[in-house]
Amino acid sequence: MLLTARHVLVAVSAVSGVAMLYVGAYQVRAIEHLSCPLLKHGCEAVADAPFARPLGIPDGFIAASLYALLFVLAFLNPQTAWLRYLIRSAAILAALANALGVVDMTRLGSYCFYCLLTTALAPVLVWATFAL
């Protein structure tokens, strides 16, 4: 079985969505502490920062919703032009939001492992949408 762009899109969307859902769960205090591999308490500092709640909504949930949308759209027929553009636009939006998040984390001086993970996966996500 070959690994297709659709498989990559589904896998990256799922991993990124679960990571951001975990961050969002911490932001609404559904979980008490955010386990942050490699970066100690940086994840909590970033998740609690003012920039992590645009319009009062935890950005973890916003990102998880965007990745869930990509996950669902990956199963539809991307042969129609409007659907291809929608998938690509959502992936580019996710990549831009990740890049903006890294800029904000740099200004804060703390980094979130999960945010950096999704940022590192963003180019793969965008590639997969254009390779569909």
Side-chain angles (χ1 to χ4, degrees):
M1 182 169 116
L2 292 173
L3 187 64
T4 65
R6 184 177 297 201
H7 292 123
V8 172
L9 176 59
V10 168
V12 171
S13 296
V15 168
S16 297
V18 168
M20 291 293 94
L21 193 59
Y22 180 59
V23 172
Y26 170 76
Q27 289 176 309
V28 295
R29 299 303 189 256
I31 56 174
E32 191 173 323
H33 295 288
L34 203 56
S35 172
C36 194
L38 309 174
L39 301 171
K40 306 291 180 206
H41 296 288
C43 291
E44 291 182 356
V46 170
D48 290 332
F51 63 78
R53 288 183 177 269
L55 305 173
I57 304 167
D59 64 352
F61 289 145
I62 295 170
S65 300
L66 185 57
Y67 290 119
L69 174 67
L70 280 166
F71 184 85
V72 170
L73 291 176
F75 290 103
L76 300 178
N77 181 9
Q79 300 309 314
T80 56
W82 68 269
L83 186 56
R84 266 196 317 271
Y85 292 134
L86 179 62
I87 292 171
R88 291 172 182 168
S89 298
I92 291 170
L93 178 63
L96 291 174
N98 284 326
L100 180 62
V102 170
V103 170
D104 287 337
M105 287 186 284
T106 301
R107 288 183 184 151
L108 180 66
S110 290
Y111 296 91
C112 170
F113 173 80
Y114 305 102
C115 303
L116 293 176
L117 172 67
T118 60
T119 302
L121 292 174
V124 177
L125 183 74
V126 172
W127 166 83
T129 62
F130 280 88
L132 283 176

